[in-house]
Amino acid sequence: MSKIVIVMPAYNEAENIGKMIEALFNEEFPKIKDTEMHLLVVDDYSPDKTGDVVKTYQQKYKNLHLLQKQKEGLGWAYIRGFQYAVNTLQADAVMEMDADFQHPPRFVKPMVEAYLLGADYCIGSRYIKGGSVPKEWAFFRKAISFLGNLFIRIVLTKFKIHDLTTGFRLTREKGVLDQIDLDHLMEPTRFAYKVDLLYQSIKLSKKTVEVPLEFASRTMEKSKFNPKEMVSTFKVAVILGIKDKQKLIKFGTVGFVGYLINAFFLNFFSKSGFPEWASWGLSTELAIINNFTLNNLWTFKTDEIKGIGNIVKKFLQFNFTSLGALLIQTVLGTIGVYFLGPDKRQLLLPFIIVFVVLPYNYLMYTKVIWKKK
Ligand code: GDD
Ligand code: MN
């Protein structure tokens, strides 16, 4: 049976936490089948004695846990909570959830169900059908939340996911959380930790699903989110976005050098009297050798293929996937020259490369050749 631990940071939530514990243990957990549900409250020794409230409930609920530590901000509360959930409680999955009822307890069940159906990463989403932000929110606040999300979706080019800043998520331990270096997240003292965590989790997760979340308004106390948190959240998104594109930029540069080699030898071979198909074929193979070498040493440096045996094996594999490109270029090139005439040869090549070969190559390189272990 899967063990799921809800990690719930709580700072000065004495008024909320008792009600939350009762709602989860009395109403929600009993409805959830086939899992062992636990709640771990992470309290930074709140002055309002949030921790003491939890302690009184611990006698009643054996799956209720409390982690107390110095105040270091929201990111660290989650990080230490995750580590405790995994190392001490042996969790199979962890959930991020707020203590203030803005994540209504009834949404825990659909998240767990998505996990049981095989999801590695479940995102409680306010911006998909069935999800919402509080009606009471002023137009301005709604706009900030929506546009902020849109901005992050654009810089991270994650259009398939609609809510990138939600604080309600479920993460599988095996294959996702256990692959993340939690001690070195960006901005761990802030709310921005969640962008880095999301970015890495999406990459690692084989199956990510969004589950609708009706985000409620806060009834008691006030939010700890502020403009400073917002700026740092955007900053993290932009840095990750650029890092992400770096590979693409290098890949493009290598592809361009490959193109120059391709063009030079295409001209050279056809001038030397080689048949049309051989000129295209040979010059393309030279570009392939260039691309393999430069991509291995530069673009995919972090996943560099090392050792003669490995390099030979991967180079053969690279040629095999490049066979697709070779075939595409040779066929499209020959057909193109047949219809447009040999004077259009040099115009045809970049056209085929940009629209067909590059997208094909990038897919093959990232998904096959330099696939992350
Ligand atoms: N232990 C600990 N330490 N808990 C904290 C700290 C801290 O430094 N700061 C906040 N928390 C707890 C709060 O007690 C609450 O349970 C939860 O973290 C979220 O804090 P809020 O202050 O209620 O944040 P919010 O409602 O503004 O932000 C929510 O919505 C955002 C998106 O709109 C959160 O869900 C965010 O995670 C989310 O990004
Ligand atoms: Mn809140």
Side-chain angles (χ1 to χ4, degrees), residues 277-332:
W277 65 268
S279 303
W280 282 88
L282 283 174
S283 58
T284 307
E285 180 59 31
L286 288 175
I288 289 172
I289 294 171
N290 165 77
N291 291 3
F292 179 76
T293 313
L294 291 188
N295 276 324
N296 192 40
L297 297 177
W298 191 44
T299 317
F300 299 100
K301 196 165 62 192
T302 44
D303 305 283
E304 193 190 324
I305 303 158
K306 289 191 182 124
I308 288 293
N310 256 335
I311 290 181
V312 170
K313 204 177 90 196
K314 279 285 180 181
F315 180 65
L316 289 179
Q317 199 185 18
F318 186 85
N319 261 277
F320 192 73
T321 63
S322 300
L323 218 61
L326 188 77
L327 208 73
I328 292 168
Q329 275 193 205
T330 308
V331 171
L332 292 185

Side-chain angles (χ1 to χ4, degrees), residues 9-11 13 42-44 71 73-74 77 98-100 102-103 126 137 165-167 191 194 215 218 222-225:
Y11 191 73
E13 303 281 5
V42 184
D43 162 50
D44 298 355
K71 183 155 169 58
L74 187 61
D98 295 350
D100 59 0
Q102 288 198 269
H103 301 147
R126 298 162 293 180
W137 273 11
T165 53
T166 178
F191 282 61
K194 75 182 62 232
F215 196 55
R218 222 182 212 279
K222 62 177 201 310
S223 161
K224 281 124 199 147
F225 197 74

Side-chain angles (χ1 to χ4, degrees), residues 26-193:
N26 297 344
E27 278 156 52
E28 298 309 319
F29 290 173
K31 286 189 222 157
I32 303 173
K33 301 284 169 261
D34 305 318
T35 44
E36 193 183 313
M37 297 299 299
H38 289 250
L39 175 65
L40 168 65
V41 178
V42 184
D43 162 50
D44 298 355
Y45 294 110
S46 305
D48 75 350
K49 300 267 170 16
T50 299
D52 291 348
V53 179
V54 178
K55 280 181 195 157
T56 60
Y57 281 97
Q58 274 185 305
Q59 280 131 32
K60 197 162 161 204
Y61 305 111
K62 73 169 180 18
N63 289 0
L64 173 63
H65 314 272
L66 173 67
L67 178 65
Q68 289 187 296
K69 56 178 213 36
Q70 293 310 308
K71 183 155 169 58
E72 307 150 294
L74 187 61
W76 281 116
Y78 271 118
I79 294 164
R80 295 299 175 228
F82 288 162
Q83 288 167 335
Y84 186 89
V86 169
N87 302 334
T88 310
L89 304 175
Q90 265 95 43
D92 297 303
V94 296
M95 275 188 77
E96 288 158 75
M97 184 174 177
D98 295 350
D100 59 0
F101 284 89
Q102 288 198 269
H103 301 147
R106 68 177 187 282
F107 289 98
V108 171
K109 187 167 178 252
M111 294 283 274
V112 173
E113 283 168 347
Y115 162 81
L116 291 175
L117 286 172
D120 296 311
Y121 194 48
C122 312
I123 298 172
S125 180
R126 298 162 293 180
Y127 298 113
I128 57 170
K129 197 163 172 272
S132 58
V133 294
K135 299 189 284 303
E136 309 79 78
W137 273 11
F139 174 77
F140 181 68
R141 186 152 178 211
K142 281 184 185 154
I144 293 256
S145 173
F146 182 79
L147 293 176
N149 245 300
L150 188 66
F151 175 78
I152 298 175
R153 280 168 80 192
I154 292 171
V155 295
L156 292 181
T157 49
K158 292 275 173 283
F159 298 107
K160 273 191 251 159
I161 292 165
H162 302 81
D163 196 341
L164 300 175
T165 53
T166 178
F168 192 57
R169 304 184 296 204
L170 182 151
T171 315
R172 190 183 290 273
E173 146 72 358
K174 202 159 168 267
V176 185
L177 197 65
D178 64 358
Q179 302 298 310
I180 297 175
D181 181 4
L182 290 173
D183 280 311
H184 297 96
L185 289 182
M186 291 167 77
E187 299 278 348
T189 60
R190 299 195 173 279
F191 282 61
Y193 85 92

